[in-house]
Amino acid sequence: MTAHRIRARKPATEPAPRIEHDEAVVSSFLSDAAHVPGGFAAGVAFPRSEAEVASLIVGATTVLAVGAQSSLTGGATPRGEVILSTRALTSIGPPANGQVRVSVGVALSLLQRSLASSGLYYPPVPTYDGAFVGGTIATNAAGPATFKYGSTRRWVDAVTVVLASGDVLDINRGAVTASPDGWFEIERESGGLLRVPVPTYVMPDVPKLSAGYYARPGMDLIDLFIGSEGTLGVVTEATLRTVPKPRRSMALVCCSSDSQAIVLTDRLRQEASSAWAGRGPLDVAAIEFMDARSLRAVPEDSFARAGVTRPSGESVMLLVQIEHGGDEAAPLERLQAVLGSLGIEDDPSLAVPGDDRGAERLFNLRESVPASVNAIVAASKAAHPEVEKTAGDMVVPFARLSDSIALYRTAFERRGLEYAIWGHVSDGNLHPNVVPRTFEAVQRGREAILEIAREVIAMGGAPLAEHGVGRSALKQQLLRELYGDEGIEQMRRVKRALDPEEKLAPGVLFSSFRRTP
Ligand SMILES: Cc1cc2nc3c(=O)[nH]c(=O)nc-3n(C[C@H](O)[C@H](O)[C@H](O)COP(=O)(O)OP(=O)(O)OC[C@H]3O[C@@H](n4cnc5c(N)ncnc54)[C@H](O)[C@@H]3O)c2cc1C
């Protein structure tokens, strides 16, 4: 039977870890992958145990937990807090019953290597696999294969969380759910009860969402912490579910236009559904989209390294990840048949199962799209320091994909903006990116993204699919567009209940309600 009340426990008693003030050390933690300038910190600490995490939190005024700092939202950029680096929390337990217990400072790439030695795999990996387990839980990260496997939330069976008070919660999925009138209750170890209200806004029905606190009637307490971006507690350990490591192939397919790529994606999604129901061989786990503008941003040598000829004109590319059961040939034969039926005559570039190098080369070509756009933004920034990455993280119901791409293009082109669109098309999750050369373009780009977000919400989608909200003013505005002022106020009530002094990640998700750090 589930309860809506959980009892916190006291951590072991250990002194807080040393807070490092050395500028050379601290300066390497002042920014994340969003490259927002102006990060500053009261120091950085590297706790090695839950007890050290708790002592650090209790003793500090404000704390920002960070993992690999690959956040694209500025959420892992400090604004005066003590930085709690999780990188010394690195234990990986032996896998058992399809689960593995890990500390949060483990990078996903390392976790995968460790699991691979037992023939296992952790599916919800973002495109950047250097991200830490804790960071991916805190942002409910998703990635290409969300299409088949769902986002991080679905794979987390238990977490241990240190609250702002220093109390520790061991939360097992299924053990604590919200009361019928919408509350959780936490019995503090020192006595006293924290009552945490469940927000009542309705989340959009999309395959991935990283947009503030999860909220549903009767929800599981674990889901409140997953995706809460370090604002409600610091996760120290998690129990993750795994699957037998799939054998994979990759196919890079060239399509003549957006519309051909959308038709092909739709067909491949249907093929995948049939395969999952045991009625076909083409088990597609992910499809990545790179539009013609994205491909034009990629330098020649990236194509050369991938062994791929640059497509011409308005051609777009899809990178299709296929999983193979026992059969090596049937899935690829079926793919060829699907391509043929749509009049796509060019042979795809293939990496067959076992050709890990080939798969990596094709994947690196996909990754060189954001890298190339980011390089252009960085070069513009050198001339105009206010220039910054200006990008959307939109998800729409798949039936609205075509409308959404048209919407992105119109919003940018009407403003005379340079742009590129890529992303996880099998989920309807694309990243429309402005390629700004001036600050003026950044401003027009923000305006376009806001307009796009409103339309995406009207389509039943969300403007915050996988990267989270962080401290980006634009993303915080998008969160407000999604749930309204009342929704933000409801999130603040959750925050106030668990962290009344705003000790943890103040200003992340929504502006600080007490003070600026
Ligand atoms: C090249 C590139 C590709 C990317 N691709 C994807 C993608 O496909 N899908 C996707 O979802 N994201 C993607 N991202 C974004 C990023 O990788 C994810 O958001 C990732 O989950 C962040 O993990 P991290 O360890 O770097 O966390 P950080 O960036 O260090 O932190 C992210 C947030 O989590 C909080 N946090 C970190 N650790 C903890 C903890 N232990 N307890 C509580 N809070 C914590 C931080 O305070 C911060 O708010 C990409 C980023 C890059 C640079």
Side-chain angles (χ1 to χ4, degrees):
M1 206 177 87
T2 60
H4 62 272
R5 184 178 283 199
I6 185 170
R7 200 184 163 82
R9 68 175 166 81
K10 195 175 168 202
T13 310
E14 272 181 46
R18 196 165 70 85
I19 298 178
E20 183 69 71
H21 297 286
D22 185 293
E23 210 186 314
V25 179
V26 176
S27 63
S28 62
F29 288 89
L30 297 184
S31 178
D32 61 27
H35 301 296
V36 188
F40 64 106
V44 56
F46 304 92
R48 285 159 303 164
S49 64
E50 167 197 298
E52 286 195 354
V53 168
S55 308
L56 181 71
I57 292 175
V58 169
T61 310
T62 54
V63 171
L64 184 71
V66 302
Q69 292 185 297
S70 65
S71 168
L72 295 170
T73 68
T77 295
R79 297 284 166 197
E81 306 90 349
V82 171
I83 300 165
L84 188 165
S85 166
T86 52
R87 76 176 184 203
L89 299 168
T90 55
S91 79
I92 305 179
N97 305 319
Q99 292 178 319
V100 61
R101 182 81 178 165
V102 286
S103 296
V104 290
V106 174
L108 293 181
S109 51
L110 187 67
L111 176 65
Q112 300 294 28
R113 274 204 296 283
S114 163
L115 290 174
S117 61
S118 308
L120 295 171
Y121 181 73
Y122 175 64
V125 190
T127 322
Y128 176 65
D129 68 359
F132 288 7
V133 167
T136 55
I137 292 174
T139 56
N140 186 29
T146 301
F147 171 56
K148 177 167 182 183
Y149 293 107
S151 62
T152 297
R153 183 179 305 286
R154 209 202 271 181
W155 297 87
V156 182
D157 279 349
V159 289
T160 295
V161 187
V162 180
L163 301 181
S165 58
D167 291 296
V168 181
L169 296 181
D170 296 305
I171 310 173
N172 292 307
R173 187 172 287 286
V176 185
T177 54
S179 69
D181 55 346
W183 293 88
F184 294 109
E185 289 178 337
I186 299 172
E187 278 179 48
R188 292 201 51 195
E189 192 279 330
S190 56
L193 198 64
L194 302 178
R195 292 196 86 220
V196 184
V198 175
T200 57
Y201 44 77
V202 178
M203 298 189 303
D205 185 14
V206 283
K208 45 173 77 168
L209 187 66
S210 183
Y213 303 146
Y214 185 94
R216 277 196 207 286
M219 66 180 277
D220 197 303
L221 179 61
I222 198 170
D223 286 322
L224 186 63
F225 288 92
I226 299 171
S228 65
E229 299 193 39
T231 59
L232 301 181
V234 175
V235 184
T236 55
E237 281 191 13
T239 304
L240 307 177
R241 258 177 317 115
T242 62
V243 292
K245 190 171 190 295
R247 281 175 64 69
R248 282 217 181 114
S249 61
M250 291 261 205
L252 184 69
V253 183
C254 190
C255 298
S256 57
S257 62
D258 283 352
S259 50
Q260 190 177 59
I262 293 168
V263 171
L264 175 57
T265 303
D266 193 18
R267 271 293 295 280
L268 292 175
R269 281 169 49 103
Q270 292 167 25
E271 291 287 327
S273 297
S274 301
W276 301 340
R279 292 195 305 267
L282 189 47
D283 180 354
V284 173
I287 310 169
E288 294 288 293
F289 171 84
M290 292 158 266
D291 82 342
R293 289 164 175 267
S294 304
L295 295 168
R296 283 200 281 275
V298 172
E300 209 50 59
D301 60 333
S302 297
F303 281 97
R305 274 197 298 276
V308 172
T309 309
R310 180 191 286 280
S312 58
E314 290 309 300
S315 298
V316 307
M317 288 187 132
L318 294 180
L319 182 60
V320 186
Q321 193 175 299
I322 299 161
E323 292 187 359
H324 293 242
D327 197 332
E328 297 282 293
L332 297 176
E333 284 164 10
R334 181 72 192 160
L335 175 67
Q336 286 292 4
V338 169
L339 297 179
S341 72
L342 297 177
I344 300 171
E345 299 301 344
D346 283 354
D347 282 340
S349 305
L350 276 183
V352 296
D355 180 9
D356 292 346
R357 285 252 173 91
E360 198 179 323
R361 275 199 295 273
L362 296 180
F363 185 74
N364 286 346
L365 180 63
R366 151 68 175 89
E367 271 315 90
S368 66
V369 168
S372 306
V373 169
N374 292 346
I376 298 172
V377 176
S380 306
K381 203 176 171 68
H384 307 278
E386 316 92 336
V387 165
E388 60 182 45
K389 189 170 167 75
T390 309
D393 177 21
M394 308 290 165
V395 58
V396 293
F398 190 79
R400 304 302 303 271
L401 179 66
S402 180
D403 298 336
S404 72
I405 295 179
L407 165 71
Y408 309 153
R409 296 204 187 288
T410 309
F412 291 143
E413 285 169 18
R414 222 168 0 95
R415 291 175 174 83
L417 289 164
E418 224 182 298
Y419 68 95
I421 302 171
W422 68 85
H424 316 303
V425 70
S426 36
D427 290 313
N429 169 211
L430 294 178
H431 302 307
N433 271 246
V434 181
V435 186
R437 311 273 176 178
T438 62
F439 184 56
E440 207 265 323
V442 170
Q443 288 172 311
R444 275 182 287 136
R446 286 178 187 153
E447 210 182 275
I449 286 173
L450 196 56
E451 178 184 301
I452 287 170
R454 289 182 179 138
E455 292 290 323
V456 159
I457 293 168
M459 287 178 186
L464 298 157
E466 56 175 17
H467 297 157
V469 177
R471 283 178 162 147
S472 152
L474 178 60
K475 287 179 185 287
Q476 293 194 357
Q477 197 175 346
L478 300 186
L479 187 65
R480 197 172 281 275
E481 294 286 334
L482 187 60
Y483 293 135
D485 292 346
E486 173 56 22
I488 302 299
E489 194 40 49
Q490 293 183 359
M491 287 192 209
R492 287 187 152 162
R493 278 182 216 133
V494 174
K495 171 80 173 164
R496 276 198 198 97
L498 282 167
D499 182 14
E501 291 173 9
E502 256 195 323
K503 208 172 235 213
L504 303 175
V508 168
L509 294 183
F510 34 75
S511 57
S512 165
F513 51 78
R514 282 200 163 218
R515 56 169 186 269
T516 42

